[in-house]
C-alpha cells in the first residue's frame, strides 16, 4: 500500500484526482491535506468520504509542524502537491498569499519530504511558467521559464525549488506542467464555468480585451491520468508537459457555450483586458506521449458538452458557491472593467 499525501485535494483538479484514482488503484492510501480556502469544497469528495483508504485533514501546507506530524503519523512516502492559490486575476489583486502558499508552502513540503526520505514527490506545475507565445510555436520542456503574472511567478518558483531538491539532495522529484483544465467541479471564477453560469442567468459574459487570446484545453480526467502515470513511471528529476493539443480562442469558447445553451451572442460584453494578459499558450506533449505512452482520451467537442451538462445538472453545487465571499470578489473584479 502506498501512503500518499495529496495536498489541495478539495479543489477542482485535486478532488477529481482523488475521486478518480481511488477507483482506479487499490494500492493507494490517500491523506488529503487542504486548508479549505474559498476554492476548497468537501462536497467535491462526497463519493470518496467513506472509502477506508481516504482521510481528510484540514490544514495549511505552510504549517511545518502539522506537515511533519502528518508525515510521521501516516508514514508518508509519497507526495502529490496540488495545493495552490490558482487564479491569475486574484494574484493581480494581491500577490502575498500566492507567494506564501505556492512558494513557502511548497518549500515546507519539500523539506518534510527530504527529512522523511520520500520515494516520490510530484509537483503539479503549469504551462504558465513558460510565459506567452506568439502566433507560432509550442512550449516544450526546454522552453526557458518566463512567468508573467504573480501567480505564474510563484508557480515557477515552486517548480524550480522542487527541481533544486532533486539536483541538490537527489530527492526523487518529478514535475508536471499542464495546460488549461476544464470539467466538473471547477470553481466558477475560471473562464468556462463562469461563462456557463452567467449564460444560465442571462448575465453579461465579460470577455477580456479582444477575446483572441488562445488557451490549450484539456479535460481534467486526462490531466489526472497523466499525473498518475508520471507519479508511477516518470523519470526522477524530469519535467513532463501535459496537453491535449486543443487550442481555442477565448471568444470561440464563449460562443460555443452560448450556442449549446441556445442563448444570443448579445450577452457577450468586451471588457478591459487583464493586466499583463498572456496572449497564447500551446503545449508540446511529445515527451509524455512517447516516453510514457500517455494520450488524451477525451475530445474537446464531446467533453465540453459533458461539462456544460454537468453545470446544468448541478445547480445546487455552484449556487451555494456564488453567494457570500465569491460574490464580493466578483463585484470587485468586474465593476470597474466595463468599456461602456
Ligand atoms: P483550485 O484553486 O481549484 O484548488 C486549490 C486547492 O488548494 C483548494 O482546495 C484550496 O483549499 C487548497 N489550498 C490553497 N491554499 C492552501 C494551503 N495553503 N494549504 C493547503 N491547501 C491549500 O486549483 P486547481 O485548479 O484545482 O489547481 C490545482 C493545481 O493544479 C494548482 O497547483 C494549479 O497551479 C495547478 N494547475 C491548474 C491548472 C488549471 O487549469 N486549473 C492547470 C495546470 C496546473
Ligand atoms: O494554463 C494553465 C492555467 O490555466 C492554470 O495554471 C491556472 O491555475 C488556471 O487558472 C488557468 O489560467 P488562465 O488565466 O488561463 O485561466 P482563466 O480561466 O482565468 O482564463 C482563461 C482565459 O479567459 C484567459 O485568456 C483570460 C480569459 N478570461 C477569463 C475570465 C475569468 C476572460 O476573457 N474573461 C473572464 O471573465
Amino acid at each position: 500500500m502506498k501512503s500518499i499525501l495529496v495536498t489541495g485535494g478539495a479543489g477542482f483538479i485535486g478532488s477529481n484526482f482523488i475521486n478518480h484514482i481511488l477507483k482506479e488503484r487499490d494500492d493507494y492510501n490517500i491523506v488529503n491535506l487542504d486548508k479549505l480556502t474559498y476554492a476548497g469544497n468537501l462536497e467535491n469528495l462526497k463519493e470518496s468520504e467513506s472509502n477506508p483508504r481516504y482521510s481528510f485533514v484540514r490544514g495549511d501546507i505552510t504549517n511545518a509542524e502539522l506537515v511533519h506530524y502528518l508525515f510521521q503519523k501516516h508514514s508518508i512516502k509519497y507526495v502529490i502537491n496540488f495545493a495552490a492559490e490558482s487564479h491569475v486575476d486574484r494574484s493581480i489583486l494581491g500577490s502575498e498569499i500566492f507567494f506564501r502558499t505556492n512558494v513557502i508552502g511548497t518549500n515546507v513540503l519539500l523539506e518534510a519530504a527530504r527529512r522523511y526520505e520520500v520515494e516520490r514527490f510530484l509537483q503539479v506545475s503549469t504551462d504558465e511558467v513558460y510565459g506567452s507565445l506568439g502566433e507560432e510555436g509550442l512550449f516544450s520542456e526546454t522552453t526557458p521559464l518566463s512567468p508573467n503574472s504573480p501567480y505564474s511567478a510563484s508557480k515557477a518558483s515552486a517548480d524550480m525549488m522542487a527541481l533544486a531538491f532533486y539536483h541538490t539532495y537527489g530527492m526523487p522529484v518529478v514535475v508536471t506542467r499542464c495546460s488549461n483544465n476544464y470539467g466538473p467541479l471547477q470553481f466558477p471564477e475560471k473562464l468556462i464555468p463562469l461563462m456557463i453560469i452567467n449564460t444560465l442567468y442571462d448575465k453579461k459574459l465579460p470577455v477580456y480585451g479582444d477575446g483572441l487570446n488562445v488557451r490549450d484545453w484539456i479535460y481534467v480526467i486526462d490531466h489526472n491520468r497523466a499525473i498518475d502515470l508520471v507519479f508511477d513511471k516518470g523519470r526522477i528529476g524530469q519535467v513532463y508537459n501535459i496537453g491535449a493539443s486543443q487550442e481555442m480562442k477565448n471568444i470561440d469558447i464563449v460562443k460555443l457555450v452560448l450556442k449549446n445553451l441556445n442563448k444570443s451572442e448579445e450577452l457577450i460584453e468586451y471588457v478591459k483586458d487583464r493586466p499583463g494578459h498572456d496572449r497564447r499558450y500551446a503545449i508540446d506533449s511529445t515527451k509524455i506521449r512517447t516516453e510514457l505512452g500517455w494520450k488524451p482520451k477525451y475530445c474537446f467537442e464531446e467533453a465540453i458538452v459533458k461539462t456544460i451538462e454537468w453545470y446544468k445538472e448541478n445547480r445546487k453545487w455552484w449556487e451555494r458557491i456564488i453567494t457570500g465571499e465569491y460574490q464580493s470578489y466578483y463585484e470587485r473584479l468586474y465593476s470597474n472593467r466595463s468599456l461602456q
Side-chain angles (χ1 to χ4, degrees):
M1 191 66 74
K2 285 184 168 157
S3 199
I4 309 171
L5 181 68
V6 171
T7 67
F12 163 49
I13 304 174
S15 61
N16 271 294
F17 178 80
I18 292 172
N19 291 335
H20 173 74
I21 221 64
L22 283 171
K23 283 183 238 130
E24 296 288 307
R25 301 276 193 168
D26 53 17
D27 59 336
Y28 285 10
N29 190 18
I30 290 180
V31 179
N32 173 14
L33 171 62
D34 196 297
K35 186 178 168 187
L36 298 183
T37 65
Y38 77 94
N41 184 351
L42 287 182
E43 238 186 286
N44 298 357
L45 292 150
K46 265 196 311 241
E47 66 181 83
S48 301
E49 251 167 26
S50 56
N51 191 313
R53 291 183 290 109
Y54 169 75
S55 58
F56 173 73
V57 179
R58 182 174 192 175
D60 193 323
I61 58 167
T62 65
N63 181 345
E65 204 180 325
L66 171 68
V67 167
H68 283 247
Y69 167 77
L70 292 176
F71 270 78
Q72 276 180 310
K73 181 174 177 212
H74 296 280
S75 308
I76 297 295
K77 284 289 171 200
Y78 301 86
V79 179
I80 304 180
N81 182 26
F82 290 99
E85 287 293 335
S86 70
H87 193 39
V88 174
D89 288 320
R90 284 185 191 255
S91 81
I92 295 168
L93 294 176
S95 60
E96 201 266 339
I97 188 67
F98 284 75
F99 185 76
R100 188 132 41 106
T101 289
N102 299 359
V103 184
I104 298 177
T106 301
N107 194 242
V108 165
L109 294 170
L110 286 165
E111 282 295 357
R114 179 160 80 97
R115 167 143 176 217
Y116 294 97
E117 299 179 341
V118 295
E119 288 170 32
R120 190 147 284 226
F121 188 109
L122 188 146
Q123 174 64 14
V124 180
S125 189
T126 165
D127 63 353
E128 295 202 13
V129 298
Y130 296 121
S132 186
L133 292 164
E135 305 256 300
E136 301 285 317
L138 301 172
F139 297 133
S140 80
E141 288 81 357
T142 54
T143 303
L145 303 198
S146 181
N148 291 318
S149 70
Y151 162 71
S152 54
S154 69
K155 289 295 292 184
S157 312
D159 173 324
M160 290 169 83
M161 190 59 93
L163 290 170
F165 271 60
Y166 162 71
H167 287 287
T168 310
Y169 307 114
M171 202 164 114
V173 167
V174 279
V175 173
T176 56
R177 296 184 184 142
C178 188
S179 62
N180 286 61
N181 286 221
Y182 67 99
L185 304 172
Q186 186 166 34
F187 194 86
E189 65 191 350
K190 305 281 164 68
L191 179 75
I192 290 180
L194 186 138
M195 295 301 164
I196 297 172
I197 289 170
N198 280 16
T199 304
L200 290 171
Y201 276 138
D202 285 318
K203 225 172 137 177
K204 289 286 181 195
L205 308 185
V207 174
Y208 298 166
D210 59 8
L212 300 179
N213 299 63
V214 171
R215 295 293 181 265
D216 190 349
W217 294 93
I218 182 170
Y219 192 59
V220 62
I221 298 298
D222 277 330
H223 181 190
N224 284 329
R225 288 174 49 247
I227 285 182
D228 189 43
L229 193 60
V230 173
F231 177 65
D232 202 20
K233 300 207 165 63
R235 281 182 295 135
I236 63 168
Q238 293 292 308
V239 174
Y240 293 88
N241 280 353
I242 304 170
S245 301
Q246 187 59 65
E247 288 183 54
M248 295 281 292
K249 294 187 184 83
N250 293 339
I251 190 64
D252 292 336
I253 299 239
V254 173
K255 287 182 179 169
L256 192 151
V257 168
L258 285 167
K259 191 162 174 237
N260 262 279
L261 294 171
N262 293 317
K263 293 286 173 75
S264 154
E265 290 186 7
E266 281 171 18
L267 283 179
I268 294 172
E269 181 183 33
Y270 288 93
V271 300
K272 226 186 318 168
D273 210 352
R274 173 186 277 176
H277 197 175
D278 285 340
R279 192 62 171 170
R280 177 172 163 259
Y281 303 149
I283 278 272
D284 176 353
S285 57
T286 308
K287 181 172 172 179
I288 189 172
R289 290 176 193 244
T290 53
E291 203 178 300
L292 303 181
W294 175 86
K295 61 176 189 221
K297 267 191 185 162
Y298 294 86
C299 80
F300 184 79
E301 288 72 22
E302 281 165 22
I304 188 72
V305 173
K306 199 171 140 95
T307 302
I308 294 171
E309 283 304 310
W310 187 88
Y311 280 89
K312 272 166 72 183
E313 283 161 16
N314 289 275
R315 271 191 105 99
K316 280 213 182 95
W317 180 87
W318 51 263
E319 273 174 352
R320 273 198 280 276
I321 290 172
I322 60 173
T323 52
E325 192 275 338
Y326 175 66
Q327 200 49 45
S328 56
Y329 159 80
Y330 193 91
E331 302 301 337
R332 199 170 147 217
L333 184 70
Y334 293 101
S335 62
N336 297 321
R337 242 173 157 139
S338 178
L339 293 175
Q340 278 141 28

